[in-house]
Amino acid sequence: MTGTRGDGFPYALLGTWGLTRLVLLLFVFRVFLFPGPDVTSDVSVIYQGWYEVLRTGTFPLDDVTWQYPPAAALAILSPGLLPFLDYTSAFFVLAFLADVLVFALLQYAGLRPGKSLRGAWVWVAGVPLLGPTVYARYDVMVTAVAVAALLAGARHPRLMGALAGFGAMVKVWPVLLLVGAAKGSAKRAWASAAVTIGGLALLFAASMPGAFSFLAFQRNRGTEVESLGSLVFHVARHLGWDGEVLLNYGSVEFLGRYVDVVSGAALFLTAVAFGWVLLWRLCAKRFLAHTLAEAAFVAVLMFTATSRVISPQYMVWLVGLAAVCLCFRGTRMTVPVGLVLAAAFVTVLEFPVWFSHVVASDALGITLLFVRNGLLVAAALTAAVQLWRGTVSRPAPTVPSQAARTRESLASS
């Protein structure tokens, strides 16, 4: 699947990207209405409200929905770069440009010797599967930084570290990109990331009050209705559980008895997943060209699947990392990537299309969550096994082909 005409330009790839992105833009600009609740309201109400506060030189100190590292302010303030547009329109344009950047990076990488355009195809197909939510959240901007970091990693570890550090100060998870750095470049990458994170932390702490208030707000979150742990309460509601579903800390969460227990279990599972990643890093023996991307994909996939919150926009991260994996011909992640793409399609069905059924915990809503979260868990387990086999387990002995055996027989006769 190259999308090229002979050895020339990938016309099919570019055409498919252009058509799907036109449709997404028509949805976010509300030329066409997408089924379900309006996903663009986060930009016009929440993001723009934060923008008005941030431009005064302070973070939203009393707003518990602000749960992001300080450099996230740059994403929220970025529409100010386009003063000829209103805030919402400018945000959509910048999200689209981030998509353009990811596509360009993946296409460039895919056309290099030894690489494949399969990664670009994953991005082209995966983004529209998530619907207009992609352009109505700033996660696509963070994903662009992460994709650039991974593609730079093999040759430019310091640049990768700086980009990963910057991404971590925008939304934390990009720090996981560094777990698969080869031993020869890991020190340079981590040092560069540490310098970037430290420098940005000092800059924001000194210049804007409340730079790290997000830590307390994030700690107090509960179990969001789309997470893996939420399935316990979706089923429990049919068995007489008397909890509630309310908008809390910026997302729709379960509140009531035992929620803290399930939230604690989710944190424990996340700790177990990180423990496995650390064990893998200590045991890994072979670091190939694609190991960096595969390790990042596995780590973020595990973090997402076990999180107390699985917002639809989190899937953008996974699609971007999956695309980088498939840029490499030798990757072992083909099946997990397919599972992530399937999960992306189910995600747009549970939010926004049939989100009311999810909130109501009816049969359709529970089924969608079981399928989506089951696909994510299956992808995480499959990807972890493949990463272990490719880097820790001894490679299977090579069986000589019939032609090779024939040549050996003739040579010995």
Side-chain angles (χ1 to χ4, degrees):
M1 183 169 60
T2 61
T4 61
R5 183 181 300 171
D7 294 327
F9 193 78
Y11 294 99
L13 181 65
L14 181 61
T16 306
W17 178 86
L19 179 61
T20 54
R21 275 41 179 190
L22 174 61
V23 173
L24 287 180
L25 287 171
L26 291 174
F27 278 129
V28 293
F29 281 105
R30 300 184 65 77
V31 177
F32 299 137
L33 296 181
F34 201 79
D38 179 16
V39 300
T40 66
S41 61
D42 276 25
V43 178
S44 59
V45 177
I46 298 176
Y47 285 9
Q48 189 163 3
W50 290 338
Y51 172 83
E52 297 299 336
V53 174
L54 290 167
R55 65 191 302 201
T56 66
T58 183
F59 284 91
L61 300 175
D62 300 319
D63 187 348
V64 296
T65 63
W66 177 262
Q67 300 168 13
Y68 309 105
L74 301 178
I76 302 302
L77 291 169
S78 62
L81 299 172
L82 304 177
F84 48 88
L85 294 174
D86 63 87
Y87 182 88
T88 304
S89 298
F91 186 91
F92 296 152
V93 170
L94 291 173
F96 168 75
L97 292 177
D99 180 8
V100 173
L101 176 60
V102 175
F103 176 66
L105 289 171
L106 292 169
Q107 181 176 280
Y108 175 76
L111 291 172
R112 293 178 64 84
K115 300 291 179 56
S116 171
L117 282 172
R118 290 187 305 161
W121 274 108
V122 167
W123 181 255
V124 167
V127 167
L129 286 178
L130 293 168
T133 303
V134 176
Y135 286 173
R137 305 291 188 273
Y138 79 83
D139 296 78
V140 67
M141 303 175 185
V142 185
T143 302
V145 175
V147 169
L150 285 178
L151 292 177
R155 296 185 177 184
H156 309 285
R158 288 191 178 88
L159 175 59
M160 176 184 69
L163 289 171
F166 175 74
M169 289 297 287
V170 177
K171 207 157 189 180
V172 180
W173 66 267
V175 74
L176 296 174
L177 304 179
L178 302 177
V179 297
K183 294 180 181 179
S185 58
K187 289 184 178 180
R188 286 175 288 169
W190 279 102
S192 180
V195 169
T196 303
I197 291 172
L200 287 172
L202 288 174
L203 176 63
F204 280 105
S207 61
M208 296 180 69
F212 295 96
S213 60
F214 78 98
L215 294 172
F217 299 155
Q218 187 65 247
R219 183 180 62 246
N220 295 327
R221 295 198 71 160
T223 296
E224 190 252 353
V225 295
E226 297 164 273
S227 66
L228 182 64
S230 75
L231 291 170
V232 174
F233 299 111
H234 283 294
V235 174
R237 292 176 82 183
H238 292 271
L239 301 176
W241 180 69
D242 57 357
E244 298 178 289
V245 176
L246 296 173
L247 183 63
N248 187 55
Y249 285 93
S251 65
V252 181
E253 298 181 353
F254 281 112
L255 299 176
R257 290 185 300 160
Y258 309 117
V259 170
D260 57 338
V261 176
V262 173
S263 295
L267 291 173
F268 174 75
L269 286 176
T270 300
V272 170
F274 285 166
W276 183 92
V277 171
L278 178 59
L279 176 64
W280 166 80
R281 190 64 179 80
L282 294 173
C283 296
K285 303 171 185 175
R286 295 181 297 278
F287 290 84
L288 306 175
H290 47 79
T291 301
L292 177 67
E294 291 183 345
F297 178 58
V298 171
V300 176
L301 186 51
M302 285 183 163
F303 166 80
T304 303
T306 59
S307 176
R308 293 173 295 171
V309 179
I310 306 181
S311 297
Q313 59 267 27
Y314 291 10
M315 296 299 299
V316 184
W317 318 342
L318 299 178
V319 171
L321 300 182
V324 177
C325 287
L326 260 64
C327 281
F328 298 91
R329 295 187 184 277
T331 184
R332 303 170 68 99
M333 295 295 154
T334 303
V335 172
V337 168
L339 293 172
V340 165
L341 290 178
F345 175 66
V346 181
T347 296
V348 80
L349 297 180
E350 63 92 358
F351 183 88
V353 177
W354 286 317
F355 190 60
S356 60
H357 295 274
V358 172
V359 174
S361 299
D362 63 19
L364 176 57
I366 293 175
T367 300
L368 288 171
L369 287 182
F370 262 106
V371 173
R372 196 281 301 276
N373 293 342
L375 287 168
L376 287 180
V377 171
L381 294 176
T382 306
V385 169
Q386 292 299 329
L387 179 65
W388 189 275
R389 287 178 176 175
T391 58
V392 178
S393 301
R394 291 182 178 180
T398 303
V399 178
S401 65
Q402 181 62 44
R405 290 196 296 268
T406 301
R407 287 194 298 268
E408 290 176 2
S409 178
L410 291 173
S412 60
S413 63

